[in-house]
């Protein structure tokens, strides 16, 4: 699994566009939260799906982007949180200990 860092608001639009060809996962990570680190580690130890791009947001460093993601996809902000984007829409979101690669894969 290779994380693509999200560091600019314009990337949210790019992720939407890319999602019409390939589903996009956004992982919203708080570098100050041990639970977020555990969730990220669990994802990284799982077998990633080749039909999915993995996008990573450090929401402490980029609060404005985190808010844009919440607004654009009409998903209440939580941390840690994953959003699965397909055809420009969020088709699945989960947070905290419920984040699992198996659950994400079942949505594809």
């Amino acid at each position: 699994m290779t994380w693509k860092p999200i560091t600019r608001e314009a990337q949210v639009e790019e992720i939407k566009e890319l999602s019409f060809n390939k589903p996009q996962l956004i992982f919203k990570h708080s570098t100050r939260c041990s639970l977020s680190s555990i969730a990220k580690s669990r994802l990284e130890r799982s077998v990633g799906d080749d039909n999915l791009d993995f996008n990573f947001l450090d929401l402490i460093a980029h609060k404005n982007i985190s808010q844009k993601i919440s607004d654009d996809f009409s998903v209440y902000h939580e941390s840690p949180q994953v959003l699965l984007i397909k055809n420009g829409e969020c088709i699945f979101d989960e947070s905290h200990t419920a984040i699992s690669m198996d659950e994400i894969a079942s949505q594809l």
Side-chain angles (χ1 to χ4, degrees):
M1 162 187 319
T2 302
W3 292 111
K4 297 177 183 179
I6 304 171
T7 58
R8 299 174 292 107
E9 283 190 29
Q11 286 175 276
V12 177
E13 293 303 318
E14 293 167 11
I15 288 168
K16 283 183 196 177
E17 290 302 315
L18 290 169
S19 77
F20 285 93
N21 295 316
K22 186 176 186 180
Q24 303 289 308
L25 182 85
I26 298 173
F27 180 72
K28 293 171 65 175
H29 175 59
S30 170
T31 55
R32 295 181 187 156
C33 173
S34 61
L35 185 58
S36 190
S37 294
I38 290 168
K40 182 176 179 277
S41 178
R42 283 179 42 206
L43 286 176
E44 291 172 339
R45 287 192 315 263
S46 301
V47 176
D49 191 311
D50 290 338
N51 296 315
L52 182 64
D53 285 336
F54 295 89
N55 300 279
F56 173 85
L57 175 67
D58 175 345
L59 61 90
I60 301 299
H62 303 286
K63 291 180 183 180
N64 59 320
I65 300 172
S66 178
Q67 187 60 52
K68 178 170 179 50
I69 290 169
S70 294
D71 293 345
D72 284 10
F73 297 111
S74 301
V75 175
Y76 183 77
H77 166 76
E78 296 190 70
S79 169
Q81 183 177 42
V82 293
L83 292 82
L84 185 57
I85 313 302
K86 188 173 180 179
N87 297 325
E89 303 285 329
C90 180
I91 62 166
F92 172 79
D93 71 277
E94 196 57 81
S95 64
H96 299 90
T97 58
I99 295 172
S100 80
M101 190 62 75
D102 288 341
E103 186 66 26
I104 293 164
S106 75
Q107 302 300 315
L108 298 172

